[in-house]
Amino acid sequence: MQDIGTWGLREAEPGVDDKTIAGVMVEYLEWAHGRLLELYGVDDPPTDPRLVCQSLHEFRRPHGVLLLAESDGRPAAIGALRRLSDDVAEVKRMYVVPSFRGRHISSAILDRLIAEARAMGAATLRLDTCRFMSDAQRLYRSRAFAERSRYEGSEIPARLQQHWVYFERGLAGGG
């Protein structure tokens, strides 16, 4: 477990952490969809919590990684990685619970996901983010991610793509 002050960051345990992870993912999706409605008039309801729980397998080894940050047994943040192809991985569902923001938890999660993608043998790491998530975009740029066009395998539907920004970085070397 990596310490983040009084925080811990660890890989989520299948069957043990599923309900917690799904709960934070649903909170993230509801927050993001609320902002999409407020800022862009997009009324696209969030995913059913049962479906979120059922989809966790795509972020589990050997084709992914699912991370959970905690403090005193409370979920503080999540982050996931999934393989898009043999040499491409994708960061998904990075979210810090609002009461835990400003403590560099997202930096620790992203750094760990980059390391995990390298360990999986990925040469390229991609991600997508809503246009309004400027703090997240700053973090991604600070880790050498550059904007790119939409990529194959992105789960963002065509009707929403205009509200998203896509990023990519190479994983060769240590940078």
Side-chain angles (χ1 to χ4, degrees), residues 57-165:
H57 67 89
E58 70 182 276
F59 306 118
R60 302 260 191 225
R61 292 188 191 276
H63 43 267
V65 176
L66 187 54
L67 301 178
L68 174 63
E70 300 174 295
S71 176
D72 297 323
R74 293 176 35 221
I78 57 171
L81 185 70
R82 70 177 181 161
R83 187 179 290 282
L84 292 179
S85 68
D86 286 343
D87 62 346
V88 179
E90 181 184 38
V91 172
K92 295 303 297 176
R93 308 292 189 272
M94 275 192 57
Y95 178 72
V96 178
V97 174
S99 60
F100 295 101
R101 291 182 184 162
R103 300 174 189 189
H104 306 288
I105 298 171
S106 57
S107 296
I109 290 173
L110 184 57
D111 290 343
R112 172 83 178 267
L113 292 174
I114 291 168
E116 293 284 354
R118 275 194 185 108
M120 289 170 61
T124 303
L125 187 55
R126 295 180 177 151
L127 60 87
D128 58 62
T129 186
C130 293
R131 290 203 178 278
F132 63 81
M133 295 181 184
S134 55
D135 289 341
Q137 292 167 35
R138 267 191 299 283
L139 173 62
Y140 303 142
R141 286 185 178 99
S142 78
R143 298 306 193 270
F145 282 87
E147 282 191 48
R148 58 152 297 143
S149 60
R150 183 187 181 280
Y151 51 85
E152 186 69 33
S154 171
E155 65 185 7
I156 307 305
R159 70 185 183 283
L160 299 177
Q161 290 173 14
Q162 65 185 339
H163 305 297
W164 256 254
V165 182

